[in-house]
Amino acid sequence: MKIKNIFFDLDNTLWDFKKNSTNTLNEIAFKFKFKNLGIKSTKKFISIYNEFNDQLWELYRFDKITKEKLRSERFRLALEYFNVKSNHISEKIGIYYINESPKKKNLVPHTKTILKYLKEKYRLHIITNGFDEVQYKKLDNCEISKFFSTVVTSEQIGVKKPNAK
């Protein structure tokens, strides 16, 4: 049996989620003046945010919370950890993050080289739990969308990885 198709995840497989997210969170710390909010360490904030974000994504993957709940809670919880209790600030930060993070262009090393090589031999596809409005921006901004025949998001099909469906 000859392999004709190769499927990739996007975040942390091709698009360097950790680096791009960290860059965006550093921008947020500066833009929203974390020092004035009493958050002395951006590094500590990022660590705490990542813990909450990972926990919420785990709940989302198993349909225990909605996309909206994930988005609203991750910054609210991280800010509350530092005794910043403001839904207004957490909402503004959440919007900034969703708008700016997908503009980042850091890919996992050698991504374009590997995709160019594989594209000549196989049909390439993306399967991702990421949200539609974010994942397509990432692909376009990094100039890798041209490599893929199909992009499937869990949001489009109503089933999240790792569900076998």
Side-chain angles (χ1 to χ4, degrees), residues 63-90:
D63 292 319
K64 298 193 180 195
I65 62 170
T66 63
K67 166 186 174 178
E68 292 74 22
K69 186 78 166 172
L70 184 155
R71 283 188 168 171
S72 69
E73 289 295 292
R74 58 189 178 178
F75 286 106
R76 185 189 66 75
L77 291 168
L79 288 168
E80 279 188 4
Y81 178 92
F82 294 92
N83 295 312
V84 178
K85 296 179 170 116
S86 171
N87 287 339
H88 177 70
I89 293 172
S90 66

Side-chain angles (χ1 to χ4, degrees), residues 1-164:
M1 175 187 271
K2 185 178 176 188
I3 295 173
K4 296 178 183 174
N5 297 281
I6 299 178
F7 296 84
F8 291 91
D9 186 21
L10 181 57
D11 294 328
N12 294 319
T13 302
L14 303 173
W15 193 76
D16 192 335
F17 180 86
K18 183 176 178 164
K19 185 182 250 183
N20 291 318
S21 180
T22 298
N23 289 346
T24 306
L25 292 167
N26 277 306
E27 289 172 15
I28 285 169
F30 179 77
K31 180 175 176 55
F32 291 89
K33 300 178 171 76
F34 274 17
K35 299 272 189 221
N36 294 347
L37 296 174
I39 303 170
K40 304 296 182 215
S41 169
T42 300
K43 186 175 180 180
K44 178 72 173 172
F45 176 84
I46 291 170
S47 174
I48 295 299
Y49 165 81
N50 284 332
E51 286 180 33
F52 285 120
N53 191 48
D54 290 347
Q55 291 168 13
L56 291 165
W57 267 100
E58 187 70 13
L59 294 172
Y60 175 76
R61 270 191 289 280
F62 292 100
D63 292 319
K64 298 193 180 195
I65 62 170
T66 63
K67 166 186 174 178
E68 292 74 22
K69 186 78 166 172
L70 184 155
R71 283 188 168 171
S72 69
E73 289 295 292
R74 58 189 178 178
F75 286 106
R76 185 189 66 75
L77 291 168
L79 288 168
E80 279 188 4
Y81 178 92
F82 294 92
N83 295 312
V84 178
K85 296 179 170 116
S86 171
N87 287 339
H88 177 70
I89 293 172
S90 66
E91 284 176 31
K92 287 183 93 157
I93 289 172
I95 291 167
Y96 183 91
Y97 183 86
I98 289 299
N99 288 333
E100 297 304 315
S101 181
K103 294 178 183 176
K104 304 298 184 263
K105 299 181 180 199
N106 295 298
L107 296 170
V108 171
H110 312 293
T111 292
K112 286 187 179 179
T113 302
I114 291 167
L115 291 176
K116 284 176 191 170
Y117 172 80
L118 292 173
K119 180 72 175 164
E120 293 176 10
K121 300 173 181 343
Y122 308 98
R123 286 182 17 166
L124 307 180
H125 312 274
I126 297 272
I127 301 175
T128 177
N129 276 341
F131 304 129
D132 290 353
E133 70 275 14
V134 174
Q135 299 304 72
Y136 287 103
K137 286 179 188 174
K138 290 175 184 177
L139 289 165
D140 289 340
N141 288 329
C142 289
E143 301 174 349
I144 61 171
S145 58
K146 64 186 175 197
F147 293 107
F148 300 99
S149 301
T150 313
V151 176
V152 177
T153 67
S154 59
E155 202 170 15
Q156 287 170 332
I157 62 169
V159 178
K160 297 172 198 80
K161 297 182 308 177
N163 187 316

